[in-house]
Amino acid sequence: MSEIRELVIVGAGPSGAAAALAAARAGIDTLLLDAATFPRDKTCGDGLTPRAVHSLKELGVDHVLPKYRNNGLKLHGYGGSVEAPWPDGHFGTEGSASPRTTFDAALVDAARAAGAEVWQGCSANDVEFESGKISAISTSLGTVRPKWVIVADGVRSPFGKLLGRQWHRDEVYGIAARSYCTSPLDQEPWMHSHVELRDESGEVQPGYGWIFPLGDGHVNLGCGALSTAERPAKINTKKLLSAYAGFVREEWQLGDEQHVTSAMLPMGGAVSNVAGGNWMLIGDAAACVNPLNGEGIDYGLETAIMAVDLLREETDFTLTWPLALREAYGEAFVLARTAARLLTYPQFLPFAGPIALRGPVGAVLMPAAARLMGNLITDDDRDLIARAWRGAGTVVSKIRHDTPLWSVQ
């Protein structure tokens, strides 16, 4: 069959489903397609910062969230622990967590209810161009002829690769493994992160671990590390996950690790060719992931709304979409990438960790760090931390002016 649609969205994760929801509400004839059949799993920490919760409220779909809420971060390591509550700012203080199996399916249902057509189990296999624009998409269910295309097919972005998307691995990227464990502490109102990870022999590893309670009898337990092409993280994340689970098992009364998955993810806009005449990449496909914590759901929701807003304003997105991304996130991402690069040096955390996580210094420093890690600074914030972050971002951006950031090639 051959179909004509105003808007085709490739990928039905949080960013794609949010784009379909926003577009359908705007009266745009929208087709949302995904190679998977929902519900389906996705490698993720499942944590939702107040920024993500805020975006869900703006979309009017916060009903997809579970009842569970969290208060902020607890960071552990190097002989200390620090509580870092979510700051009372523009995004509010309400965090949550939801397994992607249920969260993503609920957003797809919301998009369908808003009027978007959904094709599940439908892969986008090939593309045709006419006058520099996508004229047809070949799918496993037939050919679709779109006016506009939004690409939201995740970190590997197979459809984005067909359009020329390139991932720059000389910049910081993440590797991670995730599991689910039963725990009676599933209602614990804090997201926990351990920045001192040791393998089975007791040697410190260049990574971090997390435990995110889910409020459903389980916790999401995972570990990750930052890497670059120059300094690749030489760890087996699944083995490290097993060692980490053993380290915290008694404290959290954990069951065995289940549904273990792993992934690599580009971060901080370190991709090029994210737009063309009538198409845009959003969310993880556009490397809209915080380099300091791997969080991407909030950016996925935001870029979905931004892309739909741009549809009616422009006839060619080749330059306007990368510019919109750089204006929204550029300085913060370059600064976060630069800071994250420090963490790829094995000597950094053993030196900085004891200072940051012990005594009065940690009590002041880590709540500020949690605010940065949670993407909770806005352009309207005028306090010292916000001004310092923006000032550092401006300076670092000027120094690293040639760093890949949604480059046009």
Side-chain angles (χ1 to χ4, degrees):
M1 63 180 179
S2 180
E3 300 275 350
I4 297 175
R5 290 290 187 276
E6 236 183 328
L7 172 63
V8 174
I9 300 172
V10 180
S15 54
L21 174 67
R25 285 180 178 169
I28 298 172
D29 176 29
T30 302
L31 171 63
L32 174 65
L33 59 88
D34 198 287
T37 300
F38 289 77
R40 60 95 178 94
D41 193 13
K42 209 71 170 178
T43 302
C44 186
D46 297 336
L48 296 166
T49 65
R51 185 165 182 161
V53 173
H54 175 80
S55 290
L56 292 170
K57 290 181 177 179
E58 281 198 327
L59 287 164
V61 291
D62 52 311
H63 62 273
V64 305
L65 292 171
K67 292 182 179 179
Y68 170 78
R69 295 293 184 271
N70 54 53
N71 300 330
L73 300 174
K74 277 190 177 180
L75 298 109
H76 313 276
Y78 300 100
S81 293
V82 174
E83 281 187 2
W86 302 126
D88 188 8
H90 173 76
F91 301 109
T93 59
E94 198 174 22
S96 186
S98 179
R100 292 287 296 273
T101 303
T102 55
F103 181 71
D104 291 16
L107 284 178
V108 169
D109 288 343
R112 185 186 291 110
E117 185 176 357
V118 180
W119 290 0
Q120 300 185 53
C122 175
S123 57
N125 302 320
D126 204 356
V127 62
E128 296 177 17
F129 293 91
E130 186 176 313
S131 301
K133 295 185 177 182
I134 295 175
S135 58
I137 298 173
S138 298
T139 80
S140 55
L141 296 180
T143 300
V144 188
R145 302 188 181 281
K147 179 179 180 181
W148 300 303
V149 179
I150 290 177
V151 183
D153 56 348
V155 293
R156 292 191 298 271
S157 192
F159 192 75
K161 289 178 182 177
L162 293 177
L163 303 176
R165 180 247 203 190
Q166 291 184 308
W167 172 8
H168 300 280
R169 297 198 187 193
D170 51 334
E171 293 294 332
V172 170
Y173 61 91
I175 58 175
R178 176 231 70 188
S179 67
Y180 292 107
C181 302
T182 58
S183 172
L185 302 180
D186 64 300
Q187 298 287 340
E188 159 70 10
W190 296 89
M191 299 165 69
H192 290 251
S193 181
H194 292 80
V195 296
E196 181 185 8
L197 275 191
R198 297 180 181 272
D199 62 16
E200 295 175 342
S201 66
E203 185 176 347
V204 175
Q205 297 296 297
Y208 59 94
W210 71 75
I211 305 173
F212 294 167
L214 298 173
D216 65 353
H218 298 80
V219 297
N220 182 309
L221 181 141
C223 66
L226 296 168
S227 189
T228 66
E230 182 183 357
R231 286 185 301 282
K234 297 177 181 179
I235 60 173
N236 182 313
T237 52
K238 290 186 177 180
K239 286 185 177 180
L240 186 59
L241 174 69
S242 179
Y244 176 51
F247 175 70
V248 296
R249 175 159 279 117
E250 182 176 354
E251 178 185 358
W252 283 81
Q253 302 173 54
L254 298 177
D256 292 338
E257 306 93 83
Q258 302 289 332
H259 308 295
V260 178
T261 61
S262 60
M264 301 172 63
L265 61 159
M267 296 174 159
V271 292
S272 55
N273 299 331
V274 297
N278 64 339
W279 55 271
M280 295 174 274
L281 270 63
I282 65 173
D284 287 356
C288 291
V289 177
N290 187 332
L292 291 175
N293 67 354
E295 166 66 17
I297 291 177
D298 47 8
Y299 294 124
L301 299 174
E302 290 176 5
T303 55
I305 297 169
M306 290 166 56
V308 171
D309 287 344
L310 194 61
L311 288 179
R312 302 276 194 195
E313 299 177 13
E314 298 289 341
T315 57
D316 190 322
F317 307 123
T318 305
L319 299 178
T320 55
W321 181 238
L323 178 61
L325 291 174
R326 284 193 290 270
E327 288 180 343
Y329 309 120
E331 287 189 354
F333 273 4
V334 172
L335 178 56
R337 263 202 246 154
T338 303
R341 187 176 287 268
L342 291 174
L343 302 177
T344 66
Y345 288 93
Q347 305 88 349
F348 181 77
L349 270 177
F351 169 76
I355 299 172
L357 289 164
R358 295 179 192 166
V361 174
V364 174
L365 181 62
M366 295 317 293
R371 186 176 170 194
L372 303 180
M373 292 171 65
N375 314 325
L376 301 178
I377 289 179
T378 72
D379 289 339
D380 295 329
D381 291 333
R382 295 289 181 266
D383 59 278
L384 179 60
I385 296 297
R387 292 200 306 271
W389 179 253
R390 283 195 296 269
T394 300
V395 171
V396 171
S397 293
K398 289 180 179 178
I399 295 172
R400 302 194 65 202
H401 60 87
D402 58 346
T403 185
L405 190 68
W406 301 293
S407 309
V408 180
Q409 293 183 346

